[in-house]
Amino acid sequence: MNFELKSLDLAACAAEKCDALIVLVSEAFAPAKDALSQLIAQARASGDLEAKPGKLLQMYRPAAAAATRVLLVGVGDGAARHVRQAVATAVAAAKGPSLRKVLISFAGADAQKSVRAAVQAVAEATYVYTTTKSKPEGRTLSQVWLCAPDAAAAQAELALGTATVAGVELAKEWGNRPGNHATPTLLGTAAKSLARFPKIRCEVLGPKEVAALGMGSFMSVAQGSKEPLRFIVLHYSGAAKTVAPTVLVGKGITFDTGGVSIKPAAEMDEMKFDMCGAASVLGVFRALGDLKPAINVVGLIPACENMPDGGAVKPGDVVTSMSGQTIENLNTDAEGRLVLCDALTYAARFKPRAVIDIATLTGACVVALGGVRSGMFSADDSLAAALQAAGESALDPCWRLPLDDEYGEGLKSNFADMANVAGRAGGAITAAKFLQKFTGKMPWAHLDIAGTAWKSGAAKGATGRPVGLLLDYVLNQPPALIESAQAAPKSIVRRKMATQAIPAKTVAKTAAKTPRKTAAK
C-alpha cells in the first residue's frame, strides 16, 4: 500500500477520480466557494453532518466530486486521536473489493499534526492476516493520497507514520501466527531477516550458548519442550559506539500451556500471543530500519515454549538464574518472568542508558487496566515520565503503577533467594517486583501488555502494541545523546508499506527442517 502526500485543496481533491474521497471536517472548517465545500456547509447547517469525532455522512457519486463515494466525517477539534478515530470509521465504511484508491482531505484539520494518525488508521482498518490461509485475500486498497494545501510541512509525519505501520504490522504478523508457524527457531529467522536493513545486525544463540552464559532460569522454562530455545540479540547502531544504547527486552514465549501448572483449555489457543513482547521488539527494529535515526538500540528476545512433558520443570523446583540468584518455581505458569530475568541480567553488559522489558505478563494487569492502557512500572521517575509522554504522543498509552518495597514481601521463599509468585493480590505489581531484583542500578521500566497486545472475540488478533510507544520513546532521547534523524526528502514522499513477512510456503518448509531436541532431564 502506497501513501503519498499531495498539495491539494478540497476543490482539487473533488476533481480527482478515486474510489473514495474521505473529507475530514473539523470544527474550524471554513467553506470556500467550490461545490463540495458548499455541500459540506449545507450538510452541517441542516444537522446531517456533525463535527463530533467519527460522525459520518456518505454520498454515492455526488455531482460535487469525481469520486465514486464521498465520505464526510467529523474530527472535532482536529486532534490526532480524533483524526485516527474518524479515518478508521470512514475506511471501515468504504472498505470493499472495489476499494483501491482513496483520497483523504484535511478540511480544516492540521495535516502536519495528524498525518501519522491517519496513516495508522488506514492501515489498521484494512489489515488482513493471510499467512496460514489456503486462499488468502489480502488488502485491495493499494493507493492512498493524503491531501493538504501545504503537504511539504507534513513530510516528516508521513515518514514516521509509514515506518510505524511497517513495524506494527510486522509485530501483528508474528503475534497472529499459530504456535507451529512461530517457533523459537522461526522467530530467530525473522530477526535475522531484519539485518538486511542498514545499521542492523542480529545474533541468535542456541541452547549450548545459553547454557554457557548460565541462564538457568530461562533454560528451565524451555526444558519441557521439544522446540529448542533461542536467545535473539539485535543491534541497531545509528550513533557512535560511545553513545549508550536503549535496551528493549521482549518476552518470547511462542506458546504457553502453563507447563505442569497447566492452563484451562478454554481460550488456550490465545497463548500464541504470549510472544507479543518479542514481536514488538521486532517491530521497533523494522521501523528503525526505515527511519535510520542517529541512536543506538539493542533488542533482546528470550524465546521458547512452555510445555508440560516428562522433563518439564515442576512446582517447587529451584533454579539458578544468570545473576546467581536462586528461584523457587511455585507456579510454572509464571514463566515469563523466568525468561526475562536472565535477559535483564544479560542487558547490563551494554551499559545501557535505559532498559525496558515488554511482556504479556499477568492477567492481573488486564483486570486492573483492561485493554486501553498498558501497565508501566519503573522506579526511575524521568524514565517513567518519558514513557508516559511517548505513549500519549503515539496514541499507544500506558499507565504507571506502584513499586513499593512492601509488595515484594510475598516473594520470600524458605528454599531459595526468592519465589516466582506472591499470590493473587497485586499480581501485576509483584511480578514487576520480581523483575526488579535483576535490574541492579540500571534505569529500568517494565511494560505489562497482557491487556493491550491482542483482542479476543470476533476481532481476535494481535494489535501490534506497544510498537508506537516504544518507537516514540527511542526517537525522543535527549538531544545531547543523538543527532537529528535523517530528513525526509523535499519532494513528495512516497513510502511503500510492507511487513516483509516470510511466505507461508517458506515457513512450512523451514518448520519441517527445524531440528528437534529431546526433552532435558
Side-chain angles (χ1 to χ4, degrees):
M1 181 161 53
N2 289 321
F3 290 92
E4 299 183 34
L5 273 173
K6 297 285 187 178
S7 291
L8 300 174
D9 61 14
L10 184 56
C13 285
E16 292 285 344
K17 289 185 178 181
C18 59
D19 299 309
L21 169 59
I22 297 171
V23 183
L24 306 179
V25 184
S26 73
E27 295 166 349
F29 172 72
K33 294 182 179 180
D34 63 279
L36 185 53
S37 289
Q38 291 300 309
L39 183 61
I40 294 171
Q42 292 170 16
R44 291 181 65 176
S46 66
D48 290 327
L49 175 63
E50 299 179 45
K52 185 177 180 181
K55 289 295 184 179
L56 183 68
L57 178 63
Q58 298 187 59
M59 294 174 282
Y60 183 73
R61 295 190 183 279
T68 303
R69 282 169 287 177
V70 174
L71 299 95
L72 310 178
V73 58
V75 292
D77 62 2
R81 71 179 188 280
H82 294 156
V83 168
R84 186 169 183 173
Q85 178 186 351
V87 172
T89 299
V91 173
K95 191 167 60 175
S98 62
L99 188 69
R100 298 184 183 280
K101 181 180 179 180
V102 169
L103 268 65
I104 299 175
S105 175
F106 293 82
D110 189 341
Q112 187 175 355
K113 295 181 179 179
S114 51
V115 160
R116 178 188 184 186
V119 168
Q120 290 180 266
V122 171
E124 175 68 25
T126 59
Y127 173 81
V128 183
Y129 171 79
T130 62
T131 301
T132 51
K133 295 183 178 181
S134 61
K135 298 179 180 179
E137 296 181 6
R139 284 187 175 100
T140 58
L141 180 60
S142 59
Q143 191 172 19
V144 181
W145 286 9
L146 301 151
C147 307
D150 184 11
Q155 288 174 1
E157 274 284 302
L158 178 63
L160 181 56
T162 54
T164 301
V165 166
V168 165
E169 296 213 341
L170 182 63
K172 284 184 177 182
E173 168 68 22
W174 284 95
N176 284 330
R177 289 189 180 203
N180 60 329
H181 289 267
T183 62
T185 298
L186 291 175
L187 202 61
T189 301
K192 285 182 176 179
S193 73
L194 292 171
R196 71 185 182 280
F197 290 99
K199 306 180 188 296
I200 294 178
R201 58 188 174 89
C202 177
E203 182 182 11
V204 179
L205 309 182
K208 290 183 179 179
E209 294 89 347
V210 168
L213 288 168
M215 293 184 170
S217 185
F218 175 24
M219 293 172 63
S220 72
V221 177
Q223 70 189 44
S225 174
K226 293 181 179 179
E227 292 289 345
L229 62 78
R230 293 289 184 263
F231 188 66
I232 299 165
V233 183
L234 283 159
H235 295 266
Y236 172 80
S237 303
K241 292 181 179 180
T242 54
V243 176
T246 298
V247 178
L248 305 178
V249 182
K251 174 185 171 184
I253 302 296
T254 58
F255 194 82
D256 179 22
T257 66
V260 172
S261 306
I262 196 164
K263 294 176 179 290
E267 299 180 348
M268 193 195 286
D269 65 289
E270 295 189 3
M271 288 300 96
K272 70 178 184 177
F273 297 119
D274 211 20
M275 45 68 68
C276 283
S280 72
V281 174
L282 296 180
V284 170
F285 274 78
R286 173 65 181 85
L288 293 175
D290 277 350
L291 295 170
K292 305 179 184 66
I295 58 176
N296 292 333
V297 184
V298 173
L300 304 177
I301 298 173
C304 68
E305 291 182 339
N306 185 23
M307 300 291 283
D309 83 346
V313 66
K314 306 176 294 300
D317 283 0
V318 174
V319 298
T320 303
S321 67
M322 184 182 180
S323 70
Q325 298 177 89
T326 59
I327 305 163
E328 183 184 13
N329 191 337
L330 293 179
N331 186 331
T332 67
D333 193 24
E335 84 299 328
R337 63 200 73 182
L338 296 179
V339 304
L340 289 171
C341 69
D342 280 345
L344 288 170
T345 300
Y346 187 89
R349 66 183 54 199
F350 300 106
K351 296 180 173 59
R353 64 178 302 276
V355 177
I356 305 164
D357 73 73
I358 313 101
T360 49
L361 206 63
T362 66
C365 196
V366 184
V367 174
L369 298 176
V372 178
R373 290 179 180 267
S374 300
M376 184 261 287
F377 303 81
S378 181
D380 187 305
D381 290 340
S382 60
L383 176 56
L387 287 169
Q388 191 95 31
E392 297 300 325
S393 66
L395 305 182
D396 186 0
C398 61
W399 192 257
R400 190 180 185 183
L401 292 165
L403 273 176
D404 303 74
D405 289 341
E406 288 81 358
Y407 284 108
E409 291 297 312
L411 294 170
K412 291 181 178 179
S413 167
N414 292 339
F415 308 105
D417 296 331
M418 71 194 81
N420 71 328
V421 292
R424 292 174 59 84
I429 304 171
T430 56
K433 291 300 294 182
F434 176 91
L435 294 174
Q436 189 179 24
K437 293 176 180 291
F438 299 87
T439 60
K441 296 181 179 180
M442 298 185 295
W444 160 80
H446 160 59
L447 290 174
D448 192 329
I449 60 170
T452 56
W454 80 91
K455 296 179 180 178
S456 300
K460 183 184 293 186
T463 64
R465 294 179 66 183
V467 169
L469 182 162
L470 294 169
L471 187 60
D472 267 36
Y473 171 76
V474 298
L475 291 176
N476 287 287
Q477 295 177 20
L481 294 180
I482 63 172
E483 302 169 8
S484 298
Q486 289 189 350
K490 293 182 179 179
S491 59
I492 291 175
V493 176
R494 299 185 180 185
R495 297 273 179 176
K496 187 170 184 181
M497 183 183 66
T499 60
Q500 302 294 338
I502 300 172
K505 290 182 180 179
T506 303
V507 171
K509 290 179 181 178
T510 306
K513 296 177 181 179
T514 300
R516 293 177 176 268
K517 65 165 186 171
T518 57
K521 301 298 182 184

